[in-house]
Amino acid sequence: MASNKNALCVNCMKPFDPTVTGDGVCPHCGFDNKVSQNPSALAFRSYLRKRYISGRVRAANSEGITYTALDVSSGRRVDLREFFPQELVKREGKKVIPKDGCEDLYNDLMVEYTQMARALAKIRSNHALFMLIDVFKDNNTVYLVYEHHSSETLHSYISKNGPLTWNEAKELFMPMMSSLSAMHSAGVMHLGISPDTLRICSDGKMRLSDFCIPAVRQADEEIKPDLIPGCAAYEQYVRIFDCAETTDVYGFAASMVYALTGRLPADAVSRSKDPKLLLPKNVLRALPGNVVRALAGALQVRQENRTGSFERFKAELIDSTRQLSEMSETSAIRELPRTNQYTPQRRRGLPTKFWLVFSFVFSLVVMGVASYFLVNNYDINGKINGYVKKIEEQTAVSSVETISVPNMIGGVYADWLIDVNNTGTYDFNLSVSGEEFSDEVGEGRIISTDPAPGSRITRGESVTAVISKGSVIRSLPSLKGYKFSDALNKLESMGFIVEKVEEYSDTVASGMVLYYTDYESGTELEYGSSVRVSVSIGKYVE
C-alpha cells in the first residue's frame, strides 16, 4: 500500500490511477485531488511513523489540525489529529518548530495534550466517543489517531432535514447520556459539546468528536479559545469559575435545543443579563412538560442553579420519580466534580501555586482588617444604618416600577411560560420551584406561585411556580394495536418505568405489543411504578 501512496485519493484514502481519470478526480468519492493543501498543514500523502499517510485537512483550530489519513498496517481510513497551536509554532518541512519566545508555553501545552490523550485512552471503549487507536510523537509534536466513522455533524443534519420531533431527538440523545456520565467519572471533560462536535454516524448512532485541551475551551487563556456561542457555558467566558460536568451538560442541552428548533439559545454572556430561554410556541406545545423543565434546568446560566450531572438530566428528561428520589441532592450531584487530570496547571501564564499563595495572603489581610475594626469598636452599626437608609431611599424611588403578579393558579405552566417569554405582556421571569402530586389540580398545571397572585414585585424579578404531577395513582392504558415505541412514549409520559420483554408470535407482527406481563389494562398503580411489556419479535423460524 505504501508504494502506491502517490495514487491515493487524499479525501477517501482509496487508491486510483490519475492517468486513467486524467483530471485527478477520484472515481470513488469524486474529490478533485488537484486542489491545494492548507499551507500550514502537512503536505498531501506525508508518511508518519512508517505507518500513517496523511490526506486533506478536515478541521483545524487554535490547538491543532485534523486530517483524513490511511493506516497502512490495516488498510483502513482513520482520522489523524496533529498538535499544532498555530499562534505558537511554524512548520519547517514536516517538523513543527515553536516561534521565538513560545518554547516554554508550547512544551507546557504539549504535556497537557499528552495527558489528555492518556485520559482518552483509558475510556477508549466508551461507545459515545470515537475510539482513540494510537498516540505517538513525531516531527517534534504529538499525534492522536481515531477510528473513522462515515458521519455528518448534527449541525449539517438539521440544516438539511429540519428540526426533530421529541421522539426523534430522544432516540439520538438519550443513549449518549450514561456514556457521557461515565466519561466524567473517569475525569475527562470535553467542554466543546455542540452541533459541530456531535456527529451522526452511518450506524444511526450519535458520537462525540473533537476533544481538545481545556485551554482551548476557555476564554482568557494563552491561546485563542474555540467556543461556540449558545453552547459554551457562562463559566467558560469568566475564568473566576471552574468548569465541570455541569459545563458539558449545558453544551449538550443547548445542542438538544438546536435539534428541536433549528437554532441555538442566545450566548451565555447575553443570557447572564436576560436569562430567559426563548423557545418557539409550536415546539413548547409539542414537548412534554418535564422535558421543558429539564432543558430549562440544564441551561441555567449560573452553575449553582444548573443541573449538575448527566444522570440527573437524563432522569429529569424521562421524569422518573424513582430515579430522582434515589438521586438525592448530595454533594455528589451539586458539588463540582474533581479537577480533571489534564486541567491546565497555569492561569494567565502564572503557576497554580502562585494563585494559592495569593489567595491565602489575601484571606489573612481581610481577617486582620476585620479584627482591627472589632477590637477598636469601630462604628459598624452606624455604617450599616447609613447603607440601609440609602437602600430604603432607593426603594422608595423605584417603588413606582413594581408590577402585580397575575393569578396563574390552575393554568397550564407551558402556556404561561409561552406568554411570559414571548408576548411582552409580563415583565418577570417564570421558573419551576418544585412539583407535587395533586388530585385537584391537573398534571402540568400550576398549584401555587411565590410570590402569591396580587403581590407587588419589581420589574424583572422572578416568580416561581409549583407544578402539579397529577394524581399519584394511574391506570394502565390499553396497548392493543400499539407499536412498542409508541407504547413506551405513552407509558413514560404517564410516569411509568417500562421494561421490554420479547417473545415469538405467530399472529402479531414484529415490534407490536402483545400484553402486560404482570398486570392488565386498567390496573391502578402508583406514579413511578415499573411495568413489563411483552413485545412480538415475529414468528419463530427454525
Side-chain angles (χ1 to χ4, degrees), residues 181-212:
S181 177
M183 177 186 82
H184 275 273
S185 295
V188 179
M189 295 188 291
H190 189 280
L191 306 183
I193 299 179
S194 75
D196 292 323
T197 58
L198 291 170
R199 303 188 70 91
I200 300 175
C201 301
S202 56
D203 59 7
K205 297 179 180 178
M206 192 160 66
R207 290 179 173 87
L208 181 60
S209 65
D210 300 299
F211 279 82
C212 291

Side-chain angles (χ1 to χ4, degrees), residues 40-43 45-54 67 80-85 89-98 106-107 110 136-144:
S40 64
L42 284 167
R45 306 178 184 90
S46 294
Y47 208 31
L48 304 172
R49 206 191 186 191
K50 298 181 180 180
R51 177 175 174 179
Y52 301 105
I53 301 174
S54 67
Y67 307 85
L80 179 73
R81 178 71 173 178
E82 178 185 46
F83 180 64
F84 189 86
V89 300
K90 57 186 177 181
R91 194 183 299 276
E92 295 182 1
K94 290 195 293 187
K95 194 170 184 179
V96 178
I97 307 295
Y106 174 71
N107 289 328
M110 187 158 58
F136 63 93
K137 290 186 177 181
D138 199 358
N139 302 325
N140 194 38
T141 189
V142 177
Y143 295 87
L144 308 185

Side-chain angles (χ1 to χ4, degrees), residues 363-392:
S363 298
L364 288 178
V365 172
V366 172
M367 292 172 64
V369 172
S371 300
Y372 171 83
F373 287 146
L374 291 173
V375 170
N376 292 278
N377 296 318
Y378 187 75
D379 186 17
I380 295 177
N381 288 334
K383 291 291 184 183
I384 292 177
N385 289 335
Y387 291 137
V388 169
K389 185 176 181 180
K390 288 183 178 179
I391 292 172
E392 290 174 345

